[in-house]
Amino acid sequence: MEQLIQQLKVILGTNFALYLKSHNYHWNIEGPNFPQYHDFLNDFYNAVWLQTDDIAEKLRQLDVYVPGSMERFLELADIQEAVDVIPSAISMMQNLKADNDRYIIHLRAGIVAADQASEPAIGNFLQDLLGAHQKKAWMLRSIVK
Ligand SMILES: [Fe+2]
């Protein structure tokens, strides 16, 4: 159970970092394909944001308090946050592809941990997130090709 709890915390921190980074990119992206990128990032950050509350509440269902500060999210997140330097549009997409791949690794680890802890409902929830992010991985792979 401890492993599942820790993995859910890492997923939450990584989710939040992915949300903020994709929203940052939505605001700051530039280039000739601005409308497409801006819309793609809009869909991306909204989808990731909608997951945040459910991930956090899975921890509460396990009777664990949720780490909910920027400091703790930065400790838990397995992706680098975007700082003030604004990358090119294609670099943003490459960064997001790598970050989405990191998120997938942690979702997979969460599914294994949920199975080991005999928590199939949480495993099921994480499987749904995994499917959604595998679809995003395909899109990001296609953008940067
Ligand atoms: Fe917007």
Side-chain angles (χ1 to χ4, degrees), residues 14 17-19 21 74 77-81 98-100 102-103:
T14 304
L18 189 60
Y19 155 70
K21 194 171 195 172
L74 274 174
D78 189 32
I79 64 176
Q80 297 284 314
E81 66 168 350
D99 295 339
N100 189 68
R102 296 298 306 166
Y103 192 46

Side-chain angles (χ1 to χ4, degrees), residues 54-101:
D54 283 336
I55 298 166
E57 290 182 0
K58 292 292 176 289
L59 285 165
R60 294 301 297 134
Q61 287 168 31
L62 296 173
D63 204 21
V64 172
Y65 290 118
V66 178
S69 67
M70 297 304 292
E71 188 178 326
R72 284 291 286 133
F73 282 158
L74 274 174
E75 284 171 3
L76 290 164
D78 189 32
I79 64 176
Q80 297 284 314
E81 66 168 350
V83 286
D84 284 347
V85 177
I86 306 299
S88 66
I90 196 68
S91 294
M92 285 182 177
M93 293 298 132
Q94 284 162 343
N95 292 344
L96 214 52
K97 178 188 174 299
D99 295 339
N100 189 68
D101 288 345

